[in-house]
Amino acid sequence: MKTTFPKQGSPRPESTGAEVLEIAQISPAVEDVLAATPFIDIHTHLFAPSFGKLGLWGIDELVTYHYLEAEFFRSSHTQPEQYFALPKTHQADAIWRALFVENTPISESTRGVVAVLKAFGLSTDRSDLSEARAFFQAQSLDAHIRRVFDMAGISAVVMTNDPLDPEEAPAWLNGIPEHPQFRAVLRLDRILKHWAANWQVLAAQGYKVDAQASGKSAAEVQRFLFDWYERMRPMYMAVSLPDTFFYPAETLGNHLLAEAVLPSCRELDLALSLMIGVRLQANPALRLAGDAVGRADLRSLENLCRTFPSNRFLVSVLSRENQHELCVYARKFSNLMPFGCWLFMNNPSIVEEITRERIEMLGASFIPQHSDARVLEQVIYKWSNTRRTVAPILSNAYRHPRRHSARCHAPIPLQRRNVDEPQRALSTYLGAALFWLQSTLQEAGNRFCQSARVVCLGHGERQAPRQAVPLHTQRVEKVRPPHGVFRKNRIAEAGLHQALDRFCVFRLHHHVGHQIELPEKLIDNQANVASFFTLARRRSRAQST
Ligand code: RAT
Ligand code: ZN
């Protein structure tokens, strides 16, 4: 098993004339870096425009988000079956009236809608949705997506793509043009949790599987996953699991997990995302809003990480009670990467608690957030909340080494190397490394395009807060290797993998770990990528030689 962390190489020469940050400068500096760093959102339910109606956007979708539906049934006498029989616009009208007109929108989800309206300069105190509807109807989708990403400070999102979803699969089978800002994920829920209802779909497509997943079934599921890898080129595979999930219990799902999914992930060099702790359909009448939460037995993670050391697991847990254990297991297993604050965890008070706990236990080696957005414009408030919540936690974390260094006369300076390059310098020292997965994926686009920057923010450049991130899509198309090259010839994808590996703490793709020097080179070439701790270690090595 290759380590998840980059190897140390030769120390980089220190720049001269560095300006050491005063404690009072740390907070504004952190805020600057967070505001100016475009993130990649590693888990959403958004879709690229070519998926047509599957991609949700606009006011009616925002107001009928399932988080708001759950709140609506607490504030209205409307029964779920009456509500779900209404057309979408009437559903939105009913929710708007109940939660925004007759009640004050103070919950996190209602405040999210208010924040989006405000972001577009729309009124938030109207008795109906006509103004907002007129605004969204006037938008053209492609330009609107660019504007929304810009407002949210994100450069790309990762979708959730289920090859057995009857609405989605035909789009892939007909051929979906790759969109640089909407990356795919191969979702496995129907295979791992609902085999009985889905094996026949695989069988009908020519895969030799049976109801018991016996015989050649596991090998055939692998073949199915490889075929879908070719079609989707997913960033990782994923499944959400109930609180009752336990590995290694004797279940059909565990059999397929161990014999088909994990070997495929190893072969394809993909991480597996496990979202654990959902109690599916606790109240089925509420449909999507009917899921609840339960505490899971995370010894499953211990068993998985230990039994499959060559697999990498991206894990998010839904129960607050499981969060601390997740951090403990991440300390034990470098092939385990905690990520995000999911569904009921995605509230500022809880995000704050979880993020602080993760920093205390894991430093910067976790992925703090994903949006889980289902409606395009939600990324605006979700990422704004993340920046606002994380900024004081990060600032506080960096104040401590600064204070400590003053006390022990062994300064670990937080420096502003060059006032003209604040983002580069501050990112170096202030550990925006927390978000490197996101920015690394963005950088992956840069390297993928070789000849030109896909994304204009780069080494030594500063992006103003909210500055648009222009994409040179034509150039992307020009240099993109033909479909299928990726699996047959890994070299073709090496640039992407190298860029992913540049993330100081985690590798979605790890095979370049064989090239010991590579992460180091990438760090040297990308000053704003090196984590605070990497540089501190280098500095002490430099002093001792
Ligand atoms: O946050 C959500 O929308 C959940 O209901 C789930 O969809 C969850 O995010 C998942 O991906 O399973
Ligand atoms: Zn989700």
Side-chain angles (χ1 to χ4, degrees):
M1 171 68 195
K2 288 138 277 192
T3 175
T4 316
F5 291 85
K7 305 274 186 299
Q8 289 300 294
S10 53
R12 188 150 45 105
E14 285 297 301
S15 70
T16 50
E19 177 199 337
V20 177
L21 287 181
E22 295 300 326
I23 288 199
Q25 292 176 304
I26 292 176
S27 283
V30 168
E31 279 163 27
D32 264 12
V33 170
L34 289 178
T37 304
F39 304 139
I40 286 186
D41 193 338
I42 66 153
H43 171 58
T44 74
H45 296 265
L46 303 178
F47 284 92
S50 48
F51 287 88
K53 286 195 178 342
L54 288 180
L56 306 182
W57 62 288
I59 191 66
D60 291 304
E61 299 296 349
L62 283 167
V63 172
T64 55
Y65 184 32
H66 69 84
Y67 292 24
L68 288 152
E69 289 176 335
E71 292 171 29
F72 168 69
F73 295 120
R74 300 188 56 74
S75 299
S76 159
H77 295 297
T78 309
Q79 293 304 303
E81 57 277 18
Q82 296 171 313
Y83 168 85
F84 287 114
L86 296 172
K88 175 78 71 182
T89 47
H90 292 202
Q91 292 176 346
D93 288 338
I95 293 184
W96 181 258
R97 206 165 38 249
L99 298 183
F100 296 82
V101 179
E102 291 164 6
N103 285 285
T104 311
I106 55 172
S107 72
E108 174 64 6
S109 311
T110 53
R111 285 168 63 173
V113 175
V114 170
V116 170
L117 291 174
K118 274 195 178 152
F120 287 111
L122 298 166
S123 321
T124 57
D125 56 357
R126 295 290 165 96
S127 59
D128 65 37
L129 292 170
S130 48
E131 183 197 45
R133 280 193 183 118
F135 168 80
F136 285 105
Q137 271 155 19
Q139 306 307 311
S140 92
L141 184 54
D142 287 326
H144 185 58
I145 289 174
R146 281 195 295 276
R147 184 176 179 196
V148 167
F149 277 35
D150 178 31
M151 290 163 86
I154 57 173
S155 55
V157 300
V158 179
M159 306 180 281
T160 296
N161 306 104
D162 183 344
L164 293 176
D165 181 335
E167 287 189 72
E168 185 179 345
W172 287 105
L173 293 167
N174 291 335
I176 281 281
E178 222 177 281
H179 193 303
Q181 288 180 288
F182 290 83
R183 308 296 298 264
V185 154
L186 210 173
R187 186 81 177 215
L188 305 166
D189 293 42
R190 280 182 168 86
I191 291 176
L192 291 180
K193 296 192 302 191
H194 308 291
W195 179 253
N198 289 284
W199 70 270
Q200 278 161 320
V201 181
L202 271 78
Q205 292 174 14
Y207 299 96
K208 295 185 178 48
V209 295
D210 60 37
Q212 292 72 39
S214 62
K216 286 189 168 158
S217 294
E220 285 292 280
V221 170
Q222 272 203 56
R223 189 161 70 85
F224 173 84
L225 296 175
F226 289 152
D227 290 345
W228 279 88
Y229 174 85
E230 293 287 351
R231 232 165 247 134
M232 289 180 172
R233 301 221 211 116
M235 299 303 301
Y236 56 85
M237 297 195 202
V239 61
S240 104
L241 294 162
D243 57 328
T244 51
F245 168 72
F246 192 73
Y247 189 89
E250 290 274 321
T251 64
L252 198 146
N254 278 346
H255 167 63
L256 289 174
L257 178 67
E259 303 301 327
V261 172
L262 291 172
S264 303
C265 286
R266 289 195 296 272
E267 165 74 11
L268 297 168
D269 221 353
L270 296 178
L272 174 65
S273 163
L274 306 173
M275 303 178 76
I276 308 173
V278 61
R279 284 182 56 73
L280 283 172
Q281 296 296 277
N283 183 355
L286 301 195
R287 300 193 184 180
L288 213 45
D291 294 348
V293 57
R295 181 180 179 158
D297 186 342
L298 291 195
R299 282 177 302 173
S300 298
L301 286 183
E302 176 184 329
N303 297 333
L304 284 167
C305 291
R306 198 183 43 234
T307 314
F308 301 101
S310 302
N311 280 94
R312 282 153 301 121
F313 300 93
L314 268 167
V315 176
S316 204
V317 286
L318 190 52
S319 144
R320 187 180 176 197
E321 289 74 19
N322 279 143
Q323 302 298 334
H324 182 257
E325 284 168 275
L326 176 62
C327 293
V328 173
Y329 282 122
R331 290 175 66 90
K332 307 299 135 195
F333 297 101
S334 66
N335 56 338
L336 170 60
M337 175 56 65
F339 79 96
C341 304
W342 174 34
L343 187 55
F344 312 115
M345 296 295 100
N346 196 358
N347 295 313
S349 62
I350 299 181
V351 172
E352 189 182 327
E353 172 185 300
I354 295 174
T355 308
R356 186 170 287 132
E357 184 172 76
R358 287 175 175 174
I359 289 183
E360 285 165 358
M361 294 179 78
L362 303 172
S365 65
F366 67 96
I367 297 164
Q369 195 53 302
H370 64 273
S371 77
D372 233 319
R374 280 180 185 264
V375 184
L376 176 68
E377 298 84 359
Q378 287 170 344
V379 293
I380 297 172
Y381 80 86
K382 288 185 183 236
W383 281 107
S384 150
N385 286 358
T386 295
R387 284 181 168 88
R388 202 177 42 234
T389 309
V390 168
I393 302 172
L394 262 184
S395 305
N396 196 42
Y398 283 104
R399 262 183 220 117
H400 289 296
R402 182 77 183 86
R403 284 212 187 94
H404 177 71
S405 70
R407 260 206 318 276
C408 68
H409 305 291
I412 307 170
L414 298 175
Q415 294 174 336
R416 196 188 292 271
R417 289 185 165 198
N418 176 337
V419 284
D420 297 327
E421 290 182 320
Q423 177 168 20
R424 171 185 164 185
L426 296 174
S427 298
T428 302
Y429 291 102
L430 294 175
L434 279 173
F435 292 91
W436 284 143
L437 180 62
Q438 290 93 325
S439 22
T440 298
L441 288 168
Q442 169 196 297
E443 186 61 28
N446 282 352
R447 289 170 178 273
F448 193 49
C449 284
Q450 295 163 353
S451 60
R453 290 203 166 121
V454 183
V455 183
C456 285
L457 174 67
H459 178 59
E461 289 178 11
R462 182 173 197 208
Q463 188 198 33
R466 302 285 173 266
Q467 179 188 319
V469 181
L471 289 171
H472 304 300
T473 355
Q474 282 165 349
R475 285 187 215 153
V476 180
E477 290 308 324
K478 227 171 161 180
V479 298
R480 174 170 294 145
H483 212 65
V485 165
F486 276 39
R487 242 187 85 209
K488 288 188 203 104
N489 176 6
R490 294 289 175 75
I491 302 303
E493 206 183 1
L496 178 63
H497 287 190
Q498 288 160 12
L500 291 168
D501 282 359
R502 193 171 55 73
F503 180 43
C504 293
V505 291
F506 176 61
R507 293 182 298 210
L508 276 174
H509 299 75
H510 64 199
H511 72 272
V512 293
H514 296 304
Q515 302 167 40
I516 302 289
E517 285 177 12
L518 194 52
E520 191 63 27
K521 269 195 223 137
L522 290 163
I523 288 170
D524 282 342
N525 294 339
Q526 299 285 327
N528 60 344
V529 168
S531 73
F532 171 77
F533 295 103
T534 305
L535 292 178
R537 278 199 301 261
R538 280 196 186 136
R539 194 170 297 115
S540 69
R541 280 158 54 116
Q543 280 161 3
S544 64
T545 51

